[in-house]
Each structure stands twice: as C-alpha cells, then as structure tokens.
Amino acid sequence: MKVEEFVNLSLFKKIKTLYVEGEFVTSIRYYRYKVNLFLLNDFYVEAFYHPKTDRIEKIVPFDSNHTRKKFYTDQVKLPHWFEKVS
C-alpha cells in the first residue's frame, strides 16, 4: 500500500491496517495525546490516541518537518532516511 492509498482509507480501515500490517516503533506524549509511531511498508504513520476519551482521534502520515520528530529521535535510533520521509 502506498501513502496516497492509506490517506484515503476510513479511520476504521486505517486502524485495522496499522495493527495488522504496521510495525509499532515507539510512542510519545504530545499535548493531550499519546502518539504511536508505526512503520507501514516504506512510510511512517502517527496514530493520535486521546486517553480521556479512550479513542484514536486521527491517523496521519508522519510529517518529517514537524517538531515532533525530535521526540521520536530522542527515544529510539531511527534509520537515517527517517528525516527524508514525509
């Protein structure tokens, strides 16, 4: 599956795809969310979970230009190409 195909899936199908085909990398706390980072095929995906509502509110491809990248790289050693993926 390519990133464009993944983006067009419903939230339910994104969740199912991540948990069946994705590889969990790490999680961070970001404001009111617990954000799980997954590797799916050749791209990274973030799942935003809200603990108070016990819901996954959104799942989006990882934006390598976002400042959240620092939180991930502080926790785990990611491939050098991590910075180039969007």
Side-chain angles (χ1 to χ4, degrees):
M1 176 178 295
K2 295 183 180 186
V3 67
E4 297 83 11
E5 295 169 308
F6 183 79
V7 167
N8 291 321
L9 296 175
S10 69
L11 181 61
F12 176 78
K13 287 184 181 180
K14 286 178 183 176
I15 293 168
K16 184 176 179 182
T17 301
L18 276 186
Y19 285 96
V20 172
E21 300 175 29
E23 178 183 340
F24 175 77
V25 178
T26 191
S27 65
I28 61 170
R29 290 275 181 198
Y30 188 73
Y31 292 99
R32 62 182 187 208
Y33 295 102
K34 177 180 179 187
V35 185
N36 293 324
L37 182 68
F38 291 87
L39 180 61
L40 181 64
N41 299 326
D42 62 348
F43 59 96
Y44 286 96
V45 175
E46 292 177 300
F48 289 77
Y49 170 75
H50 193 284
K52 286 191 177 187
T53 61
D54 193 28
R55 294 187 183 270
I56 297 173
E57 293 190 358
K58 68 178 177 176
I59 298 176
V60 295
F62 175 71
D63 177 2
S64 64
N65 295 318
H66 200 286
T67 57
R68 272 191 309 277
K69 176 173 59 176
K70 174 92 170 98
F71 293 105
Y72 295 124
T73 56
D74 284 348
Q75 289 191 31
V76 294
K77 183 175 170 83
L78 295 167
H80 69 284
W81 48 265
F82 177 75
E83 295 183 20
K84 298 176 185 166
V85 219
S86 54

